[in-house]
Amino acid sequence: MKTALIVIVLILLGAGGYAVVSKDTAPVPVDETPSDDGRIRGPEDKSLSVGQTATISGLTVTLNGVSDSRCPIGVECIWAGEVSASLTLNAGEETSTFDMKLSAEPIEFKGYFISLTSALPHPTEGVSIDEGDYMLTFHVAPVIGSDGNIPANI
């Protein structure tokens, strides 16, 4: 009886693993090679320090500045603080400047989603950080249509 119960539980656990995977929840595959027009075809992460520029398959990202009010390591704070970055995005002939916060919703610009995913170093009690010492990582991904494809007009 005990053995039969264990076998039934194992079968249910195994079947449950397959039940949660479906066509609707699977990640959409994206071709990560640039197209002939240089547009990005897959997500990419780029790390920049202040003043650096990276071109990611037709999208140029420049990190203009960093503002960091995060609670330093070794200090007890009532507010965690935040990191924000000023960046300039250029795609073709369109240029815009944005302020974005770490882990905030992505910005959509000319067929791309851009988000700030990491900011190093983290402040530490008694240690000053020059703006040029920061390394921020941005995630850039193409806008995906409801059909799972990248729209041709971006």
Side-chain angles (χ1 to χ4, degrees), residues 12-132:
L12 290 174
L13 287 174
Y18 291 105
V20 296
V21 177
S22 72
K23 183 179 176 187
D24 295 330
T25 60
V28 177
V30 177
D31 180 5
E32 295 190 18
T33 58
S35 67
D36 292 337
D37 63 359
R39 300 279 183 182
I40 193 168
R41 291 297 186 226
E44 190 172 343
D45 292 332
K46 286 289 183 182
S47 295
L48 299 171
S49 60
V50 174
Q52 285 188 317
T53 298
T55 301
I56 306 164
S57 299
L59 179 69
T60 302
V61 180
T62 302
L63 178 58
N64 303 318
V66 178
S67 175
D68 190 354
S69 65
R70 293 177 293 178
C71 183
I73 295 170
V75 176
E76 204 170 308
C77 301
I78 59 171
W79 183 57
E82 61 189 15
V83 175
S84 62
S86 169
L87 64 148
T88 300
L89 304 175
N90 177 280
E93 294 185 20
E94 188 167 337
T95 301
S96 291
T97 299
F98 297 92
D99 288 325
M100 62 184 336
K101 294 182 183 350
L102 181 63
S103 301
E105 290 295 314
I107 293 170
E108 185 176 350
F109 179 74
K110 300 299 285 178
Y112 299 90
F113 286 119
I114 301 94
S115 56
L116 175 57
T117 60
S118 170
L120 295 173
H122 194 286
T124 302
E125 181 180 20
V127 178
S128 64
I129 303 171
D130 292 330
E131 189 176 52

